[in-house]
Amino acid sequence: MTTSRTDAVTLLRELEDIGRDPVRGGHSRHLLDDADRAMRAWFVATAEGLGLRVEVDGNANVWATWDVDGVADDLPAVVTGSHLDSVPGGGAYDGPLGVVTALAAVARLQADAHRPSRPLRVVVFAEEEGARFGVACLGSGLMTGAVSPERARALTDGAGVRLADAFTEAGLDPARIGPDPDRLAGIAAFVELHVEQGRQLAPLGASVGLATTILAHGRWSIRVDGRGDHAGATELADRHDPVLVAAEIVCSARARSLAAPTEARARATVGRIGVVPGGTNAIASSVTVSLDARAEQDTDVRALVDAIGREARAAAADEGCVVEVAEESFSPRVAFDTTLTDRMAIVLGEPPRVPTGAGHDAGVLSAHVPTGMLFVRNPDGVSHAPGESASDDDVRAGVDALVAVLRELT
């Protein structure tokens, strides 16, 4: 068993105290905040300690390259990695596990005197969770052109800080934000290792699995405008309360998901509600409901959101309110590269293949380069929460699998 600092379990322990959230529990690490910067600085120091060459691209993604004598740097590279940011109060594994195992795998290959025939790079993608600026997979989306630079620069966080200003404050040039076709063309294959989100591997007795597909998914903002008023002095018949409409939207998200055909695997969730003005003794003037919707096919997601929107407008009409539904992001269904996945499966002895309902940077890249994903077993299936976990043995099994795949691909 590896016991050096480059053991993945040891590396994970080094990150435990960065961004701990004393209110929510778990970790809160959001793009270019203090915690995210500390995570990024840790990555740079660790990668450089392995002799990797580190650079930050125009979209705040961090790249670490293993330079090998005799290997041309302009050859398309095999890339692995993930992200270091988190949802508010997120778990310790979602994102960091893929980065830590990538570094540990490179260290193992170096120790084994493996000489890659093409460049091998580790990447940390920026703002994968979208927790600060509202757009998931922002770094990979900008690189591939899925998100426009104009839109990105104008994004604001909850405190009203523009993304362009956050870049400037962090020493990054917002003028460089945007598509990066040369870097994209320089990727021969991308393999992302991730903690399993859900519980499919445990019943199969498997520590590692391969991803097959990602559900189509997106985010919508539903704003309900009513009339602010006094909670004690306003008769019930005279109220135009947007909170009541918001409550109907929450219930509709669950009901419409259950009503969808089983094969659609539909799931809609309200995870955030913003109430203005937010006083206990005040009837709200407006409410913003953040809706996450996912399903097997793109059309299933659209149908689900349309149904929720119709019910929201009906509830608003009954209450004398107005509803506006705005799409914030949408990611089509992803099917990972079958040739690459089959090759990985052979190397790993045919581990289970499972779909996932969670979005990933690998899903964004899949439309442009051969892409595959490895999952490490999550015994309880909890994710995006402090209870997210993976055993030390399974983490090390994930490194073993990634080492085998990278050795095969390079």
Side-chain angles (χ1 to χ4, degrees):
M1 180 184 298
T2 302
T3 57
S4 71
R5 181 179 176 266
T6 52
D7 170 51
V9 174
T10 302
L11 293 176
L12 279 170
R13 298 289 182 268
E14 294 179 4
L15 302 176
E16 284 182 335
D17 293 329
I18 301 177
R20 282 197 180 275
D21 193 318
V23 176
R24 302 180 181 94
H27 299 83
S28 292
R29 303 155 172 163
H30 306 146
L31 179 64
L32 300 179
D33 68 4
D34 289 344
D36 186 54
R37 290 200 211 187
M39 297 286 282
R40 292 158 72 90
W42 170 90
F43 173 77
V44 171
T46 305
E48 290 180 341
L50 293 174
L52 307 186
R53 173 171 49 86
V54 179
E55 61 178 324
V56 181
D57 68 18
N59 298 311
N61 305 313
V62 189
W63 302 80
T65 301
W66 181 10
D67 289 316
V68 179
D69 290 341
V71 176
D73 186 58
D74 59 355
L75 279 175
V78 171
V79 181
T80 186
S82 192
H83 62 97
L84 291 172
D85 64 305
S86 76
V87 297
Y93 295 84
D94 180 359
L97 180 62
V99 175
V100 161
T101 53
L103 292 171
V106 170
R108 176 91 63 80
L109 291 170
Q110 291 175 337
D112 292 346
H114 175 68
R115 287 189 58 81
S117 59
R118 61 174 64 250
L120 175 58
R121 296 193 173 98
V122 178
V123 63
V124 174
F125 281 113
E127 183 81 335
E128 193 267 359
E129 299 291 5
R132 181 173 182 186
F133 291 100
V135 178
C137 298
L138 183 61
S140 57
L142 284 166
M143 183 181 77
T144 60
V147 179
S148 74
E150 294 78 18
R151 180 191 177 197
R153 292 188 193 102
L155 292 171
T156 57
D157 65 11
V161 177
R162 292 190 317 141
L163 182 137
D165 295 330
F167 267 50
T168 299
E169 198 274 333
L172 302 172
D173 182 1
R176 294 180 60 212
I177 293 173
D180 197 344
D182 291 341
R183 193 177 298 273
L184 190 60
I187 300 175
F190 177 62
V191 178
E192 181 173 4
L193 182 147
H194 206 280
V195 68
E196 181 188 16
Q197 295 174 290
R199 190 174 180 273
Q200 299 180 82
L201 295 178
L204 300 174
S207 57
V208 174
L210 290 170
T212 54
T213 60
I214 298 177
L215 294 181
H217 59 281
R219 298 181 182 186
W220 285 261
S221 176
I222 305 178
R223 180 183 170 115
V224 186
D225 288 314
R227 187 182 72 193
D229 223 323
H230 194 290
T234 309
E235 298 291 341
L236 295 180
D238 296 332
R239 299 184 179 203
H240 304 289
D241 188 349
V243 172
L244 291 178
V245 181
E248 293 287 346
I249 293 171
V250 173
C251 293
S252 175
R254 172 62 67 87
R256 291 306 100 208
S257 299
L258 290 171
T262 302
E263 62 272 16
R265 301 177 65 215
R267 54 201 69 174
T269 307
V270 173
R272 184 172 62 196
I273 300 175
V275 180
V276 178
T280 303
N281 59 348
I283 299 168
S285 58
S286 69
V287 176
T288 300
V289 176
S290 295
L291 177 72
D292 178 295
R294 306 175 190 233
E296 186 63 45
Q297 302 294 337
D298 300 6
T299 52
D300 295 329
V301 178
R302 299 291 186 190
L304 179 61
V305 175
D306 287 346
I308 294 169
R310 286 194 300 272
E311 294 191 354
R313 292 183 180 91
D318 290 343
E319 186 64 19
C321 297
V322 176
V323 165
E324 179 180 348
V325 180
E327 180 180 304
E328 293 185 335
S329 64
F330 184 79
S331 299
R333 179 183 185 272
V334 169
F336 287 110
D337 187 88
T338 54
T339 300
L340 175 59
T341 302
D342 288 346
R343 190 175 176 186
M344 292 165 65
I346 293 170
V347 170
L348 300 178
E350 298 294 343
R353 303 190 191 201
V354 295
T356 179
H360 301 281
D361 292 304
V364 177
L365 265 63
S366 68
H368 305 272
V369 300
T371 303
M373 285 196 74
L374 289 164
F375 288 141
V376 168
R377 174 170 50 193
N378 183 333
D380 298 317
V382 175
S383 188
H384 279 189
E388 180 180 83
S389 67
S391 73
D392 291 353
D393 286 345
D394 284 354
V395 168
R396 293 186 175 108
V399 175
D400 292 343
L402 186 58
V403 167
V405 167
L406 296 178
R407 183 180 285 116
E408 167 70 13
L409 297 179
T410 60

